[in-house]
Amino acid sequence: MIKTKSRLVRLMCVVLSCSCLTSCFQIIEDISVREDGSGTVTLTANLSQSRTKLASIMLLDSVNGYKVPSQADIRREMSALADRLAAIPGITNVTHQVNFDTYIAVMKFSFSNVSDLNDVMNMAFKEMKMPMDSQSSYAYDRRHGTFRRAYTHLPQAKAEYNRLKPADQAIFKDALYTSIYRFERPVSQQSNGAAKLAASKKAVMLQTRIMDLINGNQSLSNRIQLAQ
């Protein structure tokens, strides 16, 4: 996954280096949890606001010192990531797609238990060579109908950001991270004051600037209690 991520980030950096405008992208984590603790995940990387620039850049071999990945390179890395996800116990039905007209990439998979998501996170942090002391974890208590997302800000994230070139840092200026948790029962309460409850009361959404996560100004932690 780190190769795919780094290539996409480099591609966005190339766009910024060729333009005085700031690019914007969004990462969306959409998790549906069933009563028995199984469910599905849809992960989306949306770079559509920069699609015109990206389409032009993709025609080149390199720009300003950046090697531009081909469509085949990106598809190959997406496929490799899907294979690694499918190898994790409890993870099934892995599918992926990337649209080079809209520049939106999507990865979907099913899990047999919410705790399986912790193995997915551990794989991601391991491949990104980040320490795995509980930065992010998930838990679901079926008996009491409680879903928990625990999140700990890592100072390393800010340190890594500070090491980037100014043009590379700029891609995060307007970048957004959105988490959505869906349930079969209504939510009676949730602990994160920045998160919003859907009109149906069966979904909780939190949208935050990625810079706020990097700087430790926003937490993804939440305790969601389902109605009894």
Side-chain angles (χ1 to χ4, degrees):
M1 185 170 69
I2 184 62
K3 291 182 180 178
T4 300
K5 179 180 178 183
S6 63
R7 282 172 175 165
L8 291 176
V9 169
R10 283 200 297 270
L11 187 52
M12 289 185 286
C13 291
V14 171
V15 173
L16 286 171
S17 68
C18 296
S19 171
C20 62
L21 300 177
T22 301
S23 289
C24 179
F25 69 95
Q26 183 173 191
I27 303 298
I28 303 170
E29 170 196 56
D30 193 329
I31 301 177
S32 294
V33 181
R34 302 187 187 95
E35 287 293 318
D36 64 359
S38 65
T40 60
V41 175
T42 300
L43 301 173
T44 304
N46 186 339
L47 288 76
S48 61
Q49 291 191 32
S50 301
R51 60 184 178 274
T52 300
K53 297 172 188 174
L54 289 169
S56 298
I57 294 300
M58 290 287 286
L59 297 175
L60 306 175
D61 291 328
S62 63
V63 174
N64 293 351
Y66 289 100
K67 182 176 177 3
V68 179
S70 67
Q71 291 187 12
D73 289 334
I74 295 173
R75 291 187 192 280
R76 188 160 43 248
E77 293 298 339
M78 288 281 289
S79 181
L81 172 56
D83 289 342
R84 291 193 288 276
L85 282 172
I88 296 175
I91 303 301
T92 58
N93 304 319
V94 181
T95 63
H96 61 92
Q97 62 181 23
V98 55
N99 188 317
F100 287 103
D101 291 323
T102 60
Y103 285 90
I104 296 176
V106 179
M107 183 76 68
K108 297 182 180 180
F109 59 89
S110 300
F111 55 87
S112 60
N113 191 287
V114 167
S115 61
D116 297 332
L117 299 179
N118 297 325
D119 293 329
V120 173
M121 294 299 296
N122 288 340
M123 181 198 77
F125 284 119
K126 181 178 180 180
E127 294 201 9
M128 290 187 286
K129 297 182 179 180
M130 294 178 66
M132 294 181 286
D133 1 327
S134 70
Q135 317 84 326
S136 188
S137 63
Y138 304 82
Y140 176 69
D141 184 333
R142 178 180 177 183
R143 180 180 176 186
H144 297 96
T146 305
F147 175 89
R148 289 185 176 87
R149 168 74 181 273
Y151 172 83
T152 302
H153 172 257
L154 289 177
Q156 180 183 342
K158 182 64 180 293
E160 292 292 338
Y161 173 81
N162 288 336
R163 279 196 280 269
L164 295 175
K165 297 176 182 178
D168 294 354
Q169 291 180 347
I171 67 173
F172 296 99
K173 180 180 179 182
D174 296 315
L176 298 174
Y177 179 87
T178 302
S179 63
I180 304 170
Y181 306 125
R182 305 178 192 272
F183 307 93
E184 295 181 328
R185 269 189 282 163
V187 173
S188 61
Q189 60 181 346
Q190 52 101 14
S191 63
N192 191 315
K196 297 180 179 180
L197 185 61
S200 67
K201 295 188 177 181
K202 292 185 177 182
V204 174
M205 182 185 80
L206 174 64
Q207 185 173 80
T208 182
R209 296 172 62 246
I210 289 181
M211 281 305 307
D212 285 336
L213 295 177
I214 291 173
N215 291 321
N217 298 327
Q218 178 64 59
S219 175
L220 299 178
S221 293
N222 205 346
R223 181 185 185 278
I224 299 172
Q225 179 63 55
L226 305 181
Q228 298 299 310

